[in-house]
Amino acid sequence: MSNILFEDQIIGQGDFPEKPEYGSDFIECTFDKCNLFERDLSNLNFTNSTFSGCELSMSKLQNVQLNNVIFKDCKIMGVDFSKCTGFLFEANFYNCILDFCSFENLKMQGVTFKDTSMKGVDLTGSNLQKSNFLNTDLHDARFSHTNLKEANLSTAFNFIISPTQNNLKKAIFSEHNVKGLLYEFGIHIV
């Protein structure tokens, strides 16, 4: 059985297949205002595609491939991205709500989170080297054995990151958010 190929298409709210065939490929597609709440998107492949204004909360992403995928203005709460295939995982998030998602143990070098809410997100064991957290809310985000080498957190806020349990070599912080690095030491900055 061959995979179904969707290429260079604009897929609107009612156009997303009800039960996409196993292994379907979406290449250079734009998903516009699709409601994929609690949908099972397992075993699908998305390449060079954009999700714009979509609802993906609680969707299932078992063995999903995200290769150069952009999420803009999307609500993606409670999604376990760690179930995605780690091979070629490349996604960027702009003005999204990613609260309570898991990126545990994912290799996501160079990913951008911009103007995004990441409250309660699990980043344990993730490789976020050279990633950008631009104006991103990291309240209650979990960082443990996370590689943040050369990451830009200069405009991120509400985070607590242990410098002894995470790789922060050459990471960028601002003088306004450095207190999140000192929490475990009981040091207060006024």
Side-chain angles (χ1 to χ4, degrees), residues 175-190:
E175 65 183 42
H176 302 291
N177 69 6
V178 73
K179 67 182 176 183
L181 297 173
L182 302 174
Y183 182 82
E184 76 174 276
F185 303 114
I187 297 172
H188 299 281
I189 297 177
V190 292

Side-chain angles (χ1 to χ4, degrees), residues 104-175:
E104 187 176 3
N105 295 317
L106 269 178
K107 294 178 182 173
M108 310 171 14
Q109 296 97 319
V111 67
T112 294
F113 302 98
K114 185 176 181 192
D115 300 321
T116 292
S117 177
M118 297 180 72
K119 297 174 185 171
V121 167
D122 188 356
L123 297 164
T124 302
S126 297
N127 186 344
L128 290 157
Q129 186 172 344
K130 296 184 180 181
S131 294
N132 295 290
F133 296 85
L134 308 173
N135 196 37
T136 295
D137 187 351
L138 293 163
H139 180 76
D140 284 336
R142 287 181 297 283
F143 294 89
S144 178
H145 305 288
T146 306
N147 183 355
L148 293 164
K149 185 178 178 182
E150 301 178 70
N152 183 353
L153 291 106
S154 62
T155 58
F157 54 97
N158 292 332
F159 61 82
I160 295 175
I161 301 173
S162 168
T164 61
Q165 294 182 18
N166 299 283
N167 183 351
L168 300 177
K169 188 174 183 175
K170 296 186 180 181
I172 302 167
F173 297 92
S174 72
E175 65 183 42

Side-chain angles (χ1 to χ4, degrees), residues 56-91:
L56 292 121
S57 296
M58 304 302 293
S59 59
K60 293 172 184 59
L61 302 179
Q62 184 77 31
N63 295 318
V64 166
Q65 181 177 312
L66 298 174
N67 182 11
N68 194 29
V69 174
I70 294 172
F71 294 91
K72 294 189 308 190
D73 306 315
C74 292
K75 186 176 180 183
I76 316 172
M77 295 178 64
V79 171
D80 190 352
F81 285 93
S82 70
K83 301 289 185 191
C84 290
T85 179
F87 181 68
L88 297 177
F89 184 93
E90 184 182 351

